Amino acid sequence: MTDTTYQLTLELKSIETASPAAKEILLSAKKELGMIPNMYANMANAPALLSTYSHGYKLFRKEGGFTPAEQEVIFLTISYENQCDYCMAAHSVVADMFSKVPPAVTEAIRSGGPIPDQKLQALSDFTAIMINKRGRPSPGDVNSFLSAGYKEEQILYIILALSVKTISNYSNHIFHTPVDAMFKAREWFAYKAVRKVMGFFK
């Protein structure tokens, strides 16, 4: 399937060309990762967008009450549902190298298959429900989430994750952000993946 999404023509911002507000975030990213991800360089064209993403992302990681593996399941599920090639690749690498997500779990999300962990499956299912039902889960949906061992407060943090991933996923869509070299090993193509919801390419 051909991607007919409009592509912004704005340049990637560097530390030298970014505004002072964006420059600080780019410097922080370079310090943490040893490079500036293309996604950040693109979003730096709108410093408020980059700042909101960075701030919300860090707060979700710090205060959401999810383990690193659970955080990655949430981000991967959102990126899968939004068909964001860039974030699927990036979070797959983070899942492998930093969050210690079992490879079978990451592969299940990437392919739209069943997750071999009941609690993580419940988390992924509820995250997808929040996206596809536009934040209107049924009592049964919430009960399944809570029965898996999660708390009501964590629903609000899933909303936070949805917010920051909407910023990054949609930014990557409109920029057609190329996957950075450090994420290339886990490259993912939305229109070639098995889509459990839409049923493409079965």
Side-chain angles (χ1 to χ4, degrees):
M1 183 180 294
T2 302
D3 188 350
T4 58
T5 306
Y6 179 82
Q7 183 172 2
L8 293 180
T9 59
L10 300 170
E11 64 176 9
L12 276 75
K13 294 293 185 180
S14 65
I15 290 171
E16 292 72 31
T17 61
S19 71
K23 179 178 179 178
E24 183 178 345
I25 297 171
L26 296 183
L27 283 168
S28 178
K30 186 172 183 179
K31 182 178 179 180
E32 292 176 13
L33 301 172
M35 47 85 78
I36 297 173
N38 289 328
M39 183 181 83
Y40 279 61
N42 283 334
M43 288 198 291
N45 280 283
L49 184 77
L50 177 59
S51 177
T52 299
Y53 169 79
S54 178
H55 185 63
Y57 180 87
K58 289 176 181 177
L59 286 176
F60 170 78
R61 291 284 198 189
K62 181 180 179 181
E63 299 183 12
F66 296 104
T67 66
E70 289 171 334
Q71 293 169 9
E72 236 53 67
V73 166
I74 292 169
F75 284 143
L76 281 165
T77 299
I78 296 168
S79 298
Y80 177 92
E81 293 296 327
N82 284 334
Q83 299 186 351
C84 182
D85 296 339
Y86 182 96
C87 285
M88 285 297 292
H91 283 290
S92 292
V93 170
V94 174
D96 294 341
M97 298 182 64
F98 303 106
S99 300
K100 306 304 180 186
V101 180
V105 171
T106 304
E107 290 309 311
I109 298 171
R110 285 169 60 92
S111 67
I115 297 172
D117 181 294
Q118 188 173 359
K119 186 174 184 181
L120 294 180
Q121 181 72 69
L123 178 60
S124 180
D125 286 345
F126 186 74
T127 300
I129 284 168
M130 288 294 288
I131 296 171
N132 295 315
K133 291 190 176 181
R134 306 295 188 267
R136 294 185 175 91
S138 70
D141 295 331
V142 174
N143 286 338
S144 294
F145 177 70
L146 300 179
S147 295
Y150 297 104
K151 302 175 181 178
E152 273 196 333
E153 291 84 355
Q154 289 179 296
I155 295 174
L156 298 177
Y157 283 96
I158 288 177
I159 293 173
L160 176 57
L162 288 169
S163 301
V164 297
K165 275 294 109 185
T166 296
I167 290 174
S168 61
N169 291 169
Y170 285 19
S171 295
N172 290 326
H173 291 171
I174 198 70
F175 272 106
H176 296 217
T177 309
V179 174
D180 300 283
M182 71 179 296
F183 305 136
K184 276 281 187 181
R186 296 297 261 145
E187 202 160 10
W188 183 88
F189 300 98
Y191 297 114
K192 294 182 182 178
V194 176
R195 296 289 294 145
K196 64 180 177 182
V197 175
M198 300 178 73
F200 291 151
F201 302 104
K202 289 186 176 180

